[in-house]
Coordinates of all heavy atoms in Angstrom, one line a residue:
M61 N -254.6 -57.5 -40.1 CA -253.6 -58.6 -39.8 C -252.3 -58.1 -39.8 O -251.9 -57.2 -40.7 CB -253.7 -59.7 -41.0 CG -252.7 -60.8 -40.8 SD -252.9 -62.2 -41.6 CE -252.1 -61.7 -43.2
N62 N -251.5 -58.4 -38.7 CA -250.1 -58.0 -38.6 C -249.2 -59.2 -38.7 O -249.5 -60.2 -38.3 CB -249.9 -57.3 -37.3 CG -250.7 -56.0 -37.1 OD1 -250.7 -55.2 -38.0 ND2 -251.4 -55.8 -36.0
F63 N -248.1 -58.9 -39.4 CA -247.0 -60.0 -39.6 C -245.7 -59.4 -39.4 O -245.4 -58.4 -40.2 CB -247.3 -60.6 -40.9 CG -246.4 -61.8 -41.1 CD1 -246.6 -63.1 -40.5 CD2 -245.3 -61.7 -41.9 CE1 -245.7 -64.3 -40.6 CE2 -244.5 -62.8 -42.2 CZ -244.7 -64.0 -41.5
N64 N -244.9 -59.9 -38.6 CA -243.4 -59.3 -38.5 C -242.5 -60.5 -38.2 O -242.2 -61.1 -37.2 CB -243.4 -58.5 -37.2 CG -242.1 -58.0 -36.9 OD1 -241.1 -58.1 -37.7 ND2 -241.9 -57.3 -35.8
E65 N -242.0 -60.8 -39.4 CA -240.9 -61.9 -39.4 C -240.0 -61.6 -40.6 O -240.3 -61.1 -41.5 CB -241.5 -63.3 -39.6 CG -240.4 -64.4 -39.6 CD -241.0 -65.7 -39.5 OE1 -242.0 -66.0 -40.2 OE2 -240.7 -66.6 -38.6
A66 N -238.7 -61.7 -40.2 CA -237.7 -61.6 -41.1 C -236.8 -62.9 -41.4 O -236.6 -63.5 -40.4 CB -236.7 -60.4 -40.7
V67 N -236.2 -62.9 -42.5 CA -235.3 -64.0 -42.9 C -234.0 -63.5 -43.5 O -234.2 -62.8 -44.4 CB -236.0 -65.1 -43.8 CG1 -235.0 -66.2 -44.0 CG2 -237.2 -65.7 -43.3
L68 N -232.9 -63.7 -42.8 CA -231.6 -63.3 -43.3 C -230.6 -64.4 -43.5 O -230.7 -65.4 -42.7 CB -231.0 -62.4 -42.2 CG -231.6 -61.2 -41.6 CD1 -230.9 -60.5 -40.6 CD2 -231.8 -60.2 -42.8
V69 N -230.0 -64.3 -44.6 CA -228.8 -65.3 -44.9 C -227.7 -64.5 -45.3 O -227.8 -63.7 -46.1 CB -229.3 -66.3 -46.1 CG1 -228.1 -67.2 -46.4 CG2 -230.7 -67.0 -45.8
G70 N -226.7 -64.8 -44.4 CA -225.5 -64.0 -44.5 C -224.3 -64.6 -43.7 O -224.4 -65.8 -43.5
R71 N -223.4 -63.8 -43.5 CA -222.2 -64.3 -42.8 C -222.0 -63.5 -41.5 O -222.3 -62.3 -41.4 CB -220.9 -64.1 -43.6 CG -220.8 -65.0 -44.9 CD -219.5 -65.0 -45.6 NE -219.6 -65.9 -46.8 CZ -219.4 -67.1 -46.7 NH1 -219.1 -67.8 -45.7 NH2 -219.4 -67.8 -47.9
L72 N -221.5 -64.2 -40.4 CA -221.2 -63.6 -39.3 C -220.0 -62.5 -39.4 O -218.9 -63.0 -40.0 CB -220.9 -64.6 -38.2 CG -222.0 -65.5 -37.7 CD1 -221.4 -66.6 -36.8 CD2 -223.1 -64.8 -37.1
T73 N -220.2 -61.4 -38.9 CA -219.1 -60.4 -39.1 C -218.0 -60.4 -38.0 O -217.0 -59.8 -38.2 CB -219.6 -59.1 -39.1 OG1 -220.2 -58.7 -37.9 CG2 -220.6 -58.8 -40.1
R74 N -218.3 -61.3 -36.9 CA -217.4 -61.4 -35.9 C -217.8 -62.5 -35.1 O -218.9 -63.1 -35.2 CB -217.4 -60.2 -34.8 CG -218.7 -59.8 -34.3 CD -218.7 -58.5 -33.4 NE -220.1 -57.9 -33.4 CZ -220.8 -58.3 -32.4 NH1 -220.4 -59.3 -31.4 NH2 -222.2 -57.8 -32.2
D75 N -216.9 -63.1 -34.1 CA -217.3 -64.4 -33.4 C -218.4 -63.8 -32.3 O -218.5 -62.6 -31.8 CB -216.1 -64.7 -32.5 CG -215.2 -65.4 -33.3 OD1 -215.2 -65.6 -34.5 OD2 -213.9 -65.5 -32.7
P76 N -219.5 -64.7 -32.2 CA -220.7 -64.4 -31.4 C -220.1 -64.2 -29.9 O -219.2 -64.7 -29.4 CB -221.5 -65.5 -31.4 CG -221.1 -66.2 -32.6 CD -219.7 -65.9 -32.8
E77 N -220.9 -63.3 -29.1 CA -220.6 -63.0 -27.7 C -221.8 -63.5 -26.9 O -222.9 -63.2 -27.2 CB -220.3 -61.5 -27.5 CG -219.2 -61.0 -28.3 CD -219.2 -59.4 -28.1 OE1 -219.7 -58.9 -27.3 OE2 -218.5 -58.8 -29.1
I78 N -221.4 -64.2 -25.8 CA -222.5 -64.8 -24.9 C -222.5 -64.0 -23.6 O -221.4 -63.6 -23.1 CB -222.5 -66.3 -24.8 CG1 -223.7 -66.8 -24.4 CG2 -221.3 -66.7 -24.0 CD1 -224.0 -68.3 -24.4
R79 N -223.7 -63.7 -22.9 CA -223.8 -63.4 -21.6 C -225.0 -63.9 -21.1 O -225.8 -64.5 -21.7 CB -223.8 -61.8 -21.7 CG -224.9 -61.2 -22.4 CD -224.9 -59.7 -22.4 NE -225.9 -59.2 -23.2 CZ -226.2 -57.9 -23.3 NH1 -225.7 -57.0 -22.6 NH2 -227.2 -57.5 -24.1
E80 N -225.1 -63.8 -19.8 CA -226.3 -64.1 -19.0 C -227.2 -63.1 -18.6 O -226.7 -62.1 -18.0 CB -225.8 -65.1 -17.8 CG -227.0 -65.8 -17.2 CD -226.5 -66.7 -15.9 OE1 -225.6 -67.4 -16.2 OE2 -227.2 -66.6 -15.0
V81 N -228.5 -63.2 -18.9 CA -229.5 -62.3 -18.4 C -230.6 -62.8 -17.6 O -231.4 -63.6 -18.2 CB -230.0 -61.4 -19.6 CG1 -231.0 -60.3 -19.2 CG2 -228.9 -60.8 -20.4
G82 N -230.6 -62.4 -16.4 CA -231.7 -63.1 -15.6 C -231.8 -64.5 -15.6 O -232.9 -65.2 -15.5
G83 N -230.5 -65.2 -15.6 CA -230.5 -66.6 -15.6 C -230.6 -67.3 -17.1 O -230.6 -68.6 -17.1
T84 N -230.8 -66.6 -18.0 CA -230.9 -67.1 -19.4 C -229.7 -66.7 -20.3 O -229.3 -65.4 -20.2 CB -232.2 -66.6 -20.1 OG1 -233.4 -67.0 -19.1 CG2 -232.4 -67.2 -21.5
N85 N -229.1 -67.5 -21.0 CA -228.1 -67.2 -21.9 C -228.7 -66.3 -23.1 O -229.7 -66.6 -23.7 CB -227.4 -68.5 -22.5 CG -226.6 -69.0 -21.5 OD1 -226.1 -68.5 -20.5 ND2 -226.3 -70.4 -21.6
V86 N -227.9 -65.4 -23.5 CA -228.2 -64.6 -24.7 C -227.0 -64.4 -25.5 O -225.9 -64.0 -24.9 CB -229.0 -63.2 -24.4 CG1 -228.1 -62.3 -23.5 CG2 -229.3 -62.5 -25.6
V87 N -227.0 -64.6 -26.8 CA -225.9 -64.5 -27.6 C -226.0 -63.4 -28.5 O -227.1 -63.2 -29.1 CB -225.4 -65.7 -28.5 CG1 -226.5 -66.2 -29.5 CG2 -224.2 -65.7 -29.0
L88 N -225.1 -62.5 -28.7 CA -225.2 -61.4 -29.6 C -224.2 -61.7 -30.8 O -223.1 -61.9 -30.6 CB -224.8 -60.0 -28.9 CG -225.5 -59.7 -27.5 CD1 -224.8 -58.6 -26.8 CD2 -226.9 -59.6 -27.9
F89 N -224.7 -61.2 -32.0 CA -223.9 -61.3 -33.2 C -224.4 -60.4 -34.3 O -225.5 -59.9 -34.2 CB -223.9 -62.9 -33.7 CG -225.2 -63.4 -33.9 CD1 -225.8 -63.5 -35.2 CD2 -226.0 -63.9 -32.9 CE1 -227.0 -64.0 -35.5 CE2 -227.3 -64.4 -33.2 CZ -227.8 -64.6 -34.4
T90 N -223.5 -60.3 -35.2 CA -224.0 -59.4 -36.4 C -223.9 -60.2 -37.7 O -222.9 -61.0 -37.9 CB -223.0 -58.2 -36.5 OG1 -223.1 -57.5 -35.3 CG2 -223.4 -57.2 -37.6
V91 N -224.9 -60.1 -38.6 CA -225.0 -60.8 -39.9 C -224.8 -59.7 -40.9 O -225.5 -58.8 -41.0 CB -226.4 -61.5 -39.9 CG1 -226.4 -62.2 -41.4 CG2 -226.3 -62.6 -38.9
A92 N -223.9 -60.1 -41.9 CA -223.8 -59.1 -43.0 C -224.5 -59.8 -44.2 O -224.2 -61.0 -44.6 CB -222.2 -58.9 -43.5
T93 N -225.4 -59.2 -44.9 CA -226.0 -59.5 -46.2 C -225.8 -58.6 -47.3 O -225.5 -57.5 -47.0 CB -227.5 -59.7 -45.9 OG1 -228.1 -58.4 -45.5 CG2 -227.9 -60.6 -44.8
N94 N -225.8 -59.2 -48.5 CA -225.4 -58.4 -49.7 C -226.7 -58.4 -50.5 O -227.5 -59.2 -50.6 CB -224.3 -59.0 -50.4 CG -223.1 -58.9 -49.7 OD1 -222.7 -57.9 -48.9 ND2 -222.2 -59.9 -49.8
R95 N -226.8 -57.2 -51.2 CA -228.0 -57.0 -52.2 C -227.4 -56.4 -53.5 O -226.8 -55.4 -53.4 CB -229.1 -56.1 -51.6 CG -230.2 -55.8 -52.5 CD -231.3 -55.0 -51.9 NE -231.0 -53.6 -51.7 CZ -231.2 -52.7 -52.5 NH1 -231.7 -52.8 -53.7 NH2 -230.8 -51.3 -52.1
S96 N -227.5 -57.2 -54.5 CA -227.1 -56.6 -55.9 C -228.3 -56.1 -56.5 O -229.4 -56.5 -56.5 CB -226.6 -57.9 -56.7 OG -225.5 -58.5 -56.1
F97 N -228.0 -54.9 -57.3 CA -229.1 -54.3 -58.1 C -228.4 -53.6 -59.3 O -227.3 -53.3 -59.3 CB -229.8 -53.3 -57.1 CG -229.0 -52.2 -56.4 CD1 -228.8 -51.0 -57.0 CD2 -228.3 -52.5 -55.2 CE1 -227.9 -50.1 -56.4 CE2 -227.6 -51.6 -54.6 CZ -227.3 -50.3 -55.1
T98 N -229.3 -53.1 -60.1 CA -228.8 -52.3 -61.2 C -229.3 -50.9 -61.1 O -230.6 -50.7 -60.8 CB -229.4 -53.0 -62.5 OG1 -228.9 -54.3 -62.7 CG2 -228.8 -52.2 -63.8
K99 N -228.5 -49.9 -61.2 CA -228.8 -48.6 -61.1 C -229.6 -48.1 -62.4 O -229.6 -48.8 -63.5 CB -227.6 -47.6 -60.9 CG -226.9 -47.9 -59.7 CD -225.7 -47.0 -59.5 CE -224.9 -47.2 -58.2 NZ -223.7 -46.4 -58.1
K100 N -230.3 -47.0 -62.4 CA -231.0 -46.4 -63.5 C -230.1 -46.2 -64.7 O -230.6 -46.5 -65.9 CB -231.6 -45.1 -63.2 CG -232.6 -45.1 -62.3 CD -233.3 -43.8 -62.0 CE -234.4 -44.0 -61.0 NZ -235.1 -42.6 -60.7
N101 N -228.8 -46.0 -64.6 CA -227.8 -45.8 -65.8 C -227.4 -47.2 -66.2 O -226.4 -47.3 -67.1 CB -226.7 -45.0 -65.4 CG -225.8 -45.5 -64.3 OD1 -226.0 -46.7 -63.8 ND2 -224.9 -44.7 -63.9
G102 N -227.8 -48.3 -65.7 CA -227.5 -49.7 -66.1 C -226.2 -50.2 -65.4 O -225.8 -51.5 -65.6
E103 N -225.7 -49.5 -64.6 CA -224.6 -49.9 -63.8 C -224.9 -50.8 -62.7 O -225.8 -50.7 -62.0 CB -223.7 -48.7 -63.2 CG -222.6 -49.0 -62.4 CD -222.0 -47.7 -61.8 OE1 -222.3 -46.6 -62.2 OE2 -221.1 -47.9 -60.8
K104 N -224.2 -52.0 -62.6 CA -224.4 -53.0 -61.6 C -223.7 -52.5 -60.3 O -222.6 -52.0 -60.2 CB -224.0 -54.4 -61.9 CG -224.9 -55.0 -63.0 CD -224.7 -56.5 -63.2 CE -225.3 -56.9 -64.5 NZ -226.7 -57.3 -64.1
S105 N -224.4 -52.7 -59.1 CA -224.0 -52.3 -57.8 C -224.3 -53.2 -56.8 O -225.2 -54.2 -57.0 CB -224.4 -50.8 -57.5 OG -223.8 -50.4 -56.5
E106 N -223.7 -53.1 -55.6 CA -224.0 -54.0 -54.5 C -223.9 -53.1 -53.2 O -223.2 -52.3 -53.1 CB -222.9 -55.1 -54.4 CG -223.3 -56.3 -53.5 CD -222.3 -57.4 -53.5 OE1 -222.6 -58.2 -54.4 OE2 -221.4 -57.5 -52.8
K107 N -224.9 -53.6 -52.4 CA -225.0 -52.8 -51.0 C -224.9 -53.9 -49.8 O -225.6 -54.9 -50.1 CB -226.3 -52.0 -50.9 CG -226.3 -51.2 -49.7 CD -227.5 -50.3 -49.8 CE -227.5 -49.5 -48.4 NZ -228.5 -48.4 -48.6
T108 N -224.2 -53.6 -48.9 CA -224.1 -54.7 -47.7 C -224.8 -54.1 -46.5 O -224.8 -52.9 -46.2 CB -222.7 -54.8 -47.3 OG1 -221.9 -55.3 -48.5 CG2 -222.5 -55.9 -46.2
L109 N -225.7 -55.0 -46.0 CA -226.4 -54.5 -44.8 C -225.9 -55.3 -43.7 O -225.7 -56.5 -43.7 CB -228.0 -54.8 -45.0 CG -229.0 -54.6 -43.9 CD1 -229.1 -53.1 -43.7 CD2 -230.2 -55.2 -44.2
F110 N -225.6 -54.6 -42.4 CA -225.3 -55.2 -41.3 C -226.4 -55.2 -40.2 O -226.8 -54.1 -39.9 CB -224.1 -54.5 -40.6 CG -222.9 -54.5 -41.6 CD1 -222.6 -53.4 -42.5 CD2 -222.1 -55.5 -41.6 CE1 -221.6 -53.5 -43.4 CE2 -220.9 -55.6 -42.5 CZ -220.6 -54.6 -43.4
M111 N -226.8 -56.4 -39.8 CA -227.9 -56.5 -38.9 C -227.4 -57.1 -37.5 O -226.8 -58.2 -37.5 CB -229.1 -57.4 -39.4 CG -229.7 -57.0 -40.6 SD -230.7 -55.4 -40.3 CE -232.1 -56.1 -39.4
D112 N -227.7 -56.4 -36.4 CA -227.3 -56.9 -35.1 C -228.4 -57.8 -34.7 O -229.6 -57.5 -34.8 CB -227.1 -55.8 -34.1 CG -226.0 -54.8 -34.4 OD1 -225.0 -55.4 -34.8 OD2 -226.1 -53.6 -34.1
C113 N -228.0 -58.9 -34.2 CA -229.0 -59.9 -33.8 C -228.6 -60.5 -32.3 O -227.7 -60.4 -32.0 CB -228.9 -61.2 -34.7 SG -229.1 -60.8 -36.4
E114 N -229.8 -61.0 -31.7 CA -229.6 -61.6 -30.4 C -230.5 -62.9 -30.4 O -231.6 -62.9 -30.9 CB -229.9 -60.8 -29.3 CG -231.3 -60.1 -29.3 CD -231.5 -59.1 -28.0 OE1 -230.7 -58.3 -28.1 OE2 -232.6 -59.2 -27.4
L115 N -229.9 -63.9 -29.8 CA -230.6 -65.1 -29.7 C -230.7 -65.6 -28.2 O -229.7 -65.5 -27.6 CB -229.8 -66.2 -30.5 CG -230.5 -67.7 -30.6 CD1 -231.9 -67.6 -31.2 CD2 -229.5 -68.5 -31.4
W116 N -231.9 -66.0 -27.8 CA -232.0 -66.3 -26.3 C -232.2 -67.8 -26.2 O -232.7 -68.4 -27.0 CB -233.2 -65.5 -25.8 CG -233.0 -64.1 -25.6 CD1 -233.0 -63.1 -26.7 CD2 -232.9 -63.2 -24.5 NE1 -232.8 -61.9 -26.3 CE2 -232.7 -62.0 -25.0 CE3 -232.7 -63.6 -23.1 CZ2 -232.5 -61.0 -24.0 CZ3 -232.6 -62.5 -22.3 CH2 -232.4 -61.2 -22.7
G117 N -231.8 -68.4 -24.9 CA -232.1 -69.5 -24.5 C -231.1 -70.6 -24.9 O -230.0 -70.4 -25.3
P118 N -231.7 -71.9 -25.1 CA -230.7 -73.0 -25.4 C -230.1 -72.9 -26.7 O -228.9 -73.3 -27.0 CB -231.7 -74.2 -25.4 CG -232.7 -73.8 -24.5 CD -233.0 -72.3 -24.8
A119 N -230.8 -72.2 -27.7 CA -230.2 -72.0 -29.1 C -229.1 -71.1 -29.1 O -228.0 -71.3 -30.0 CB -231.2 -71.4 -30.0
A120 N -228.8 -70.3 -28.1 CA -227.7 -69.5 -28.0 C -226.4 -70.2 -27.8 O -225.4 -69.9 -28.4 CB -227.8 -68.4 -26.6
Q121 N -226.4 -71.4 -27.1 CA -225.2 -72.1 -27.1 C -224.8 -72.8 -28.3 O -223.7 -73.1 -28.6 CB -225.4 -73.3 -25.9 CG -224.1 -73.9 -25.6 CD -223.0 -73.0 -25.0 OE1 -223.4 -72.3 -24.2 NE2 -221.8 -73.1 -25.5
I122 N -225.8 -73.2 -29.2 CA -225.5 -73.6 -30.5 C -224.7 -72.7 -31.3 O -223.7 -73.1 -32.0 CB -226.9 -74.1 -31.2 CG1 -227.5 -75.3 -30.5 CG2 -226.6 -74.6 -32.7 CD1 -228.9 -75.6 -30.9
I123 N -225.1 -71.5 -31.3 CA -224.4 -70.5 -32.0 C -223.0 -70.4 -31.4 O -222.0 -70.2 -32.3 CB -225.1 -69.2 -32.1 CG1 -226.4 -69.2 -32.8 CG2 -224.3 -67.9 -32.8 CD1 -226.4 -69.6 -34.2
M124 N -222.8 -70.4 -30.2 CA -221.4 -70.3 -29.6 C -220.6 -71.4 -29.9 O -219.4 -71.3 -30.2 CB -221.6 -70.1 -28.0 CG -222.2 -68.9 -27.7 SD -221.2 -67.4 -28.1 CE -219.6 -67.6 -27.5
D125 N -221.2 -72.6 -30.1 CA -220.4 -73.8 -30.4 C -220.1 -73.8 -31.9 O -218.9 -74.5 -32.1 CB -221.2 -75.1 -29.9 CG -221.3 -75.2 -28.5 OD1 -220.6 -74.6 -27.8 OD2 -222.3 -76.1 -28.1
R126 N -220.9 -73.4 -32.7 CA -220.6 -73.6 -34.2 C -220.4 -72.3 -35.0 O -219.9 -72.4 -36.1 CB -221.9 -74.2 -34.8 CG -222.3 -75.5 -34.3 CD -223.4 -76.1 -34.9 NE -223.9 -77.3 -34.2 CZ -224.9 -78.0 -34.5 NH1 -225.7 -77.5 -35.5 NH2 -225.2 -79.2 -33.8
G127 N -220.6 -71.1 -34.4 CA -220.5 -69.9 -35.1 C -219.1 -69.1 -34.9 O -218.8 -69.0 -33.7
V128 N -218.4 -68.8 -35.9 CA -217.3 -68.1 -35.9 C -217.2 -67.0 -36.9 O -218.1 -67.2 -37.9 CB -216.0 -68.8 -36.1 CG1 -215.8 -69.8 -34.8 CG2 -215.9 -69.6 -37.3
K129 N -216.5 -66.0 -37.0 CA -216.5 -65.0 -37.9 C -216.3 -65.6 -39.2 O -215.6 -66.5 -39.6 CB -215.3 -64.0 -37.7 CG -215.2 -63.0 -38.7 CD -214.0 -62.0 -38.4 CE -214.0 -60.9 -39.6 NZ -212.8 -60.1 -39.3
G130 N -217.3 -65.2 -40.3 CA -217.2 -65.8 -41.6 C -218.1 -67.0 -41.8 O -218.5 -67.3 -43.0
T131 N -218.8 -67.4 -40.7 CA -219.8 -68.7 -41.0 C -221.0 -68.1 -41.6 O -221.6 -67.1 -41.3 CB -220.1 -69.1 -39.5 OG1 -218.8 -69.7 -38.8 CG2 -221.1 -70.3 -39.7
T132 N -221.5 -68.9 -42.6 CA -222.7 -68.6 -43.3 C -223.9 -69.0 -42.3 O -223.8 -70.1 -41.6 CB -222.9 -69.3 -44.6 OG1 -221.8 -68.9 -45.5 CG2 -224.3 -69.0 -45.2
I133 N -224.8 -68.1 -42.1 CA -225.9 -68.4 -41.1 C -227.3 -68.1 -41.7 O -227.4 -67.0 -42.6 CB -225.7 -67.7 -39.8 CG1 -226.6 -68.1 -38.7 CG2 -225.5 -66.2 -40.0 CD1 -226.2 -67.6 -37.3
L134 N -228.4 -68.6 -41.3 CA -229.7 -68.3 -41.7 C -230.4 -68.0 -40.3 O -230.4 -68.7 -39.3 CB -230.4 -69.4 -42.3 CG -231.9 -69.1 -42.7 CD1 -232.3 -69.8 -44.0 CD2 -232.8 -69.5 -41.7
V135 N -230.9 -66.8 -40.3 CA -231.6 -66.3 -39.1 C -233.0 -65.9 -39.5 O -233.3 -65.2 -40.5 CB -230.9 -65.0 -38.6 CG1 -231.6 -64.5 -37.4 CG2 -229.5 -65.2 -38.3
R136 N -233.9 -66.4 -38.6 CA -235.4 -66.1 -38.8 C -236.0 -65.7 -37.5 O -235.8 -66.3 -36.4 CB -236.1 -67.3 -39.4 CG -237.6 -67.1 -39.8 CD -238.2 -68.3 -40.2 NE -238.6 -69.0 -38.9 CZ -239.3 -70.1 -38.8 NH1 -239.6 -70.7 -40.0 NH2 -239.7 -70.6 -37.6
G137 N -236.8 -64.6 -37.6 CA -237.4 -64.2 -36.3 C -238.0 -62.8 -36.5 O -237.8 -62.2 -37.6
P138 N -238.6 -62.3 -35.5 CA -239.3 -61.0 -35.6 C -238.2 -59.8 -35.6 O -237.2 -59.9 -35.0 CB -240.2 -60.9 -34.3 CG -239.5 -61.8 -33.4 CD -238.9 -62.9 -34.2
L139 N -238.6 -58.8 -36.2 CA -237.7 -57.6 -36.2 C -238.2 -56.7 -35.0 O -239.3 -56.4 -34.8 CB -237.9 -56.7 -37.5 CG -237.3 -57.3 -38.7 CD1 -237.6 -56.4 -39.8 CD2 -235.8 -57.4 -38.6
E140 N -237.1 -56.1 -34.4 CA -237.4 -55.2 -33.3 C -236.5 -53.9 -33.6 O -235.2 -54.3 -33.8 CB -237.1 -55.7 -31.9 CG -238.1 -56.7 -31.6 CD -238.0 -57.1 -30.0 OE1 -237.4 -56.4 -29.2 OE2 -238.6 -58.2 -29.8
Q141 N -236.9 -52.7 -33.4 CA -236.1 -51.6 -33.5 C -235.6 -51.0 -32.2 O -236.6 -50.7 -31.4 CB -236.7 -50.6 -34.4 CG -235.8 -49.3 -34.7 CD -236.6 -48.4 -35.6 OE1 -237.8 -48.6 -36.1 NE2 -236.0 -47.3 -35.9
D142 N -234.3 -50.9 -32.0 CA -233.9 -50.3 -30.8 C -233.6 -48.8 -31.0 O -233.0 -48.5 -32.0 CB -232.6 -51.1 -30.2 CG -233.0 -52.4 -29.7 OD1 -234.1 -52.7 -29.3 OD2 -232.0 -53.3 -29.6
N143 N -233.8 -48.1 -30.1 CA -233.6 -46.6 -30.1 C -232.8 -46.1 -28.9 O -232.9 -46.8 -27.9 CB -234.9 -45.6 -30.1 CG -235.8 -46.0 -31.3 OD1 -235.3 -46.0 -32.3 ND2 -237.0 -46.2 -31.0
F144 N -231.9 -45.3 -29.1 CA -231.0 -44.9 -28.0 C -230.4 -43.5 -28.2 O -230.6 -42.9 -29.3 CB -229.8 -45.8 -27.9 CG -228.7 -45.8 -29.0 CD1 -227.7 -44.9 -29.0 CD2 -229.0 -46.7 -30.2 CE1 -226.9 -45.0 -30.1 CE2 -228.1 -46.6 -31.1 CZ -227.1 -45.8 -31.2
E145 N -230.1 -42.8 -27.2 CA -229.6 -41.5 -27.2 C -228.1 -41.4 -27.2 O -227.5 -42.0 -26.4 CB -230.2 -40.6 -26.1 CG -229.9 -39.3 -26.1 CD -230.7 -38.4 -25.1 OE1 -231.9 -38.7 -24.8 OE2 -230.0 -37.6 -24.4
G146 N -227.6 -40.8 -28.3 CA -226.1 -40.7 -28.5 C -225.5 -39.7 -27.4 O -226.2 -39.0 -26.7
K147 N -224.2 -39.9 -27.3 CA -223.5 -39.0 -26.4 C -223.7 -37.5 -26.6 O -223.6 -36.6 -25.6 CB -221.9 -39.2 -26.4 CG -221.6 -40.7 -25.9 CD -220.1 -40.8 -26.1 CE -219.7 -42.2 -25.4 NZ -218.3 -42.4 -25.5
D148 N -224.0 -37.1 -27.8 CA -224.3 -35.7 -28.2 C -225.8 -35.4 -28.0 O -226.2 -34.2 -28.3 CB -224.0 -35.4 -29.7 CG -224.7 -36.2 -30.7 OD1 -225.6 -37.2 -30.2 OD2 -224.6 -36.1 -31.9
G149 N -226.5 -36.2 -27.4 CA -227.9 -36.0 -27.0 C -228.9 -36.3 -28.3 O -230.1 -36.2 -28.0
S150 N -228.4 -36.7 -29.4 CA -229.3 -37.0 -30.6 C -229.9 -38.4 -30.3 O -229.2 -39.3 -29.8 CB -228.5 -36.8 -31.8 OG -227.5 -37.9 -32.0
K151 N -231.0 -38.5 -30.8 CA -231.8 -39.8 -30.7 C -231.4 -40.6 -32.1 O -231.3 -40.0 -33.2 CB -233.4 -39.5 -30.8 CG -233.7 -38.8 -29.7 CD -234.7 -39.5 -28.8 CE -235.1 -38.7 -27.6 NZ -235.5 -39.4 -26.5
R152 N -231.1 -41.9 -31.8 CA -230.8 -42.8 -32.9 C -231.6 -44.1 -33.0 O -232.0 -44.5 -32.0 CB -229.3 -43.2 -32.8 CG -228.5 -42.0 -32.8 CD -227.0 -42.3 -32.7 NE -226.3 -41.0 -32.5 CZ -225.1 -41.0 -32.9 NH1 -224.3 -41.9 -33.3 NH2 -224.3 -39.8 -32.8

């Protein structure tokens, strides 16, 4: 059995950007989430994760109408990993 779904609750790091791809709206945005943990030495620490997200179709307009930098948002959907080649030729 395979299962691929993620749930993020965080804040928008910038205002969403919308564009049209093949006649369909797509909105791009980044969500920052924090994770608190205790190190082995007992020191409390926090790590921030930035996730680039895209939303397609009619829901894209909802984010454009309501989402601004700092808005708390819940995102649910499948994870996809994008790979690209940097200017220096390295794979990322």
Side-chain angles (χ1 to χ4, degrees):
M61 176 169 83
N62 294 316
F63 184 76
N64 178 6
E65 186 169 44
V67 178
L68 302 172
V69 177
R71 295 191 180 271
L72 295 176
T73 63
R74 57 186 164 85
D75 291 346
E77 299 172 20
I78 196 165
R79 62 183 171 170
E80 190 175 312
V81 177
T84 302
N85 285 337
V86 59
V87 68
L88 306 173
F89 56 97
T90 302
V91 178
T93 61
N94 296 323
R95 180 175 66 94
S96 300
F97 59 95
T98 304
K99 295 181 179 180
K100 289 182 181 180
N101 64 6
E103 179 184 347
K104 293 193 184 275
S105 189
E106 189 172 276
K107 184 172 184 169
T108 303
L109 176 68
F110 299 93
M111 296 292 291
D112 292 327
C113 303
E114 57 185 49
L115 183 61
W116 291 74
Q121 191 59 49
I122 295 170
I123 297 298
M124 287 305 299
D125 293 343
R126 299 181 185 175
V128 295
K129 180 179 178 179
T131 301
T132 300
I133 189 170
L134 182 143
V135 179
R136 187 185 82 183
L139 285 177
E140 289 186 23
Q141 183 177 357
D142 289 337
N143 298 310
F144 63 94
E145 190 171 309
K147 292 180 181 179
D148 60 359
S150 63
K151 302 238 181 209
R152 299 176 187 208

